[in-house]
Amino acid sequence: MSAAFGFNVAANGVRLHVLRYAGQGAPLVLVPGITSPAITWGFVAERLAQAFDVHVLDVRGRGLSSSGPGLDYGLDAMADDLSALIGALGLSGVTVLGHSMGARIAVRAASRNAAGMERLVLVDPPVSGPGRRAYPSRLPWYVDSIRLAERGMDAEAMKAFCPTWSEEQRALRAEWLHTCHEPAIVTAFEGFHRDDIHKDLPGLPVPATLMVAGRGGVIEPADEAEILELNPDIRIARVPDAGHMIPWDDFDGFFLALDELLGTSFARAGA
């Protein structure tokens, strides 16, 4: 098991907090979703560290990174943070693994400045955007839980929002959700419907793979077909029994899909 240590980096005009799960392999930067501080991905990062040197980012407005009023919480700013972080750390040959919003950040970052990036792993990104169907989650789900967390909530209270998660997972989310700055979350959610990531897919300068949650309702077969039409080189793996929060729903299935996409051997190592 890899022990994490945290540190802060000045990049793109903000403070970015990173948790590093040091491994012997090539660097991997994990970019979480809309309300997932870095620490909540620790159980995934520990196994990833069997094959990668893992850095998990607190996206601005979340966790211990810069937050509060006056910051730009739009997609381009978050994408530029990712590129600036890779540069500030002097990383090269980076696998960028983004989940949900983090996958959209990865796509936009690669399209704007792919320096240091070797490949993208896009885990169930929202495919909403201008003129497209809405993202299936609703904004009050996020806002209501954040406001409760700001007042103080425990794992039992979090069960109303994450009923299938383990008590440990719910407790960790309850502990850290208050660090998600509500205006940052609202801006990101609105961006799911305003920002067009499809326009970035044909010209991606690095290879990309896509992991789809079979029960997530975020990416449907027609979406997969459109993505492949825009970029036929994107390889796709599915996790049939998982919802959108794939490793929470099917931890082993998440790593089986990574093995399929990356040629790793997590499943064999974890047996």
Side-chain angles (χ1 to χ4, degrees):
M1 180 180 296
S2 174
F5 64 90
F7 59 93
N8 296 295
V9 177
N12 196 33
V14 295
R15 181 192 69 253
L16 296 175
H17 178 256
V18 177
L19 285 177
R20 184 178 179 190
Y21 294 76
Q24 298 301 311
L28 181 148
V29 176
L30 196 162
V31 188
I34 186 169
T35 54
S36 294
I39 189 65
T40 63
W41 276 81
F43 73 111
V44 178
E46 287 176 354
R47 182 177 284 193
L48 287 171
Q50 295 175 5
F52 296 99
D53 188 13
V54 182
H55 301 72
V56 190
L57 173 64
D58 269 330
V59 177
R60 62 167 64 194
R62 299 146 181 90
L64 300 181
S65 288
S66 289
S67 189
L71 285 183
D72 181 354
Y73 294 109
L75 178 60
D76 287 350
M78 295 187 293
D80 290 346
D81 285 350
L82 173 57
S83 297
L85 174 70
I86 291 171
L89 295 178
L91 301 178
S92 62
V94 176
T95 296
V96 178
L97 189 158
H99 172 250
S100 192
M101 180 192 76
R104 290 169 67 94
I105 292 171
V107 168
R108 182 57 53 87
S111 71
R112 288 168 68 87
N113 179 7
M117 300 181 192
E118 182 171 290
R119 59 187 173 183
L120 309 180
V121 181
L122 310 174
V123 181
D124 219 43
V127 292
S128 46
R132 298 176 179 275
R133 74 176 188 280
Y135 182 58
S137 294
R138 296 292 179 260
L139 184 58
W141 186 90
Y142 299 103
V143 172
D144 292 349
S145 60
I146 290 169
R147 291 178 180 177
L148 286 172
E150 287 174 341
R151 293 200 295 268
M153 68 189 304
D154 59 12
E156 186 61 28
M158 187 58 72
K159 189 180 292 186
F161 298 91
C162 306
T164 64
W165 291 19
S166 71
E167 183 175 2
E168 182 180 5
Q169 290 166 346
R170 294 196 311 272
L172 191 61
R173 183 169 176 82
E175 179 184 0
W176 281 88
L177 187 60
H178 74 93
T179 70
C180 294
H181 184 49
E182 184 178 322
I185 305 314
V186 172
T187 298
F189 185 86
E190 292 174 346
F192 288 170
H193 305 91
R194 181 183 61 245
D195 299 316
D196 180 11
I197 64 163
H198 289 77
K199 70 180 180 63
D200 298 328
L201 295 177
L204 278 178
V206 294
T209 60
L210 176 68
M211 187 185 302
V212 176
R215 296 191 291 104
V218 174
I219 300 178
E220 297 179 352
D223 302 314
E224 294 182 35
E226 181 183 10
I227 288 168
L228 287 176
E229 183 177 350
L230 292 169
N231 188 330
D233 294 327
I234 291 178
R235 297 179 57 231
I236 299 176
R238 298 167 188 82
V239 186
D241 297 325
H244 182 57
M245 302 297 287
I246 296 177
W248 281 258
D249 291 340
D250 188 351
F251 184 73
D252 291 332
F254 175 82
F255 284 97
L256 278 169
L258 276 187
D259 287 348
E260 180 180 344
L261 294 173
L262 302 182
T264 47
S265 55
F266 288 112
R268 186 166 63 251

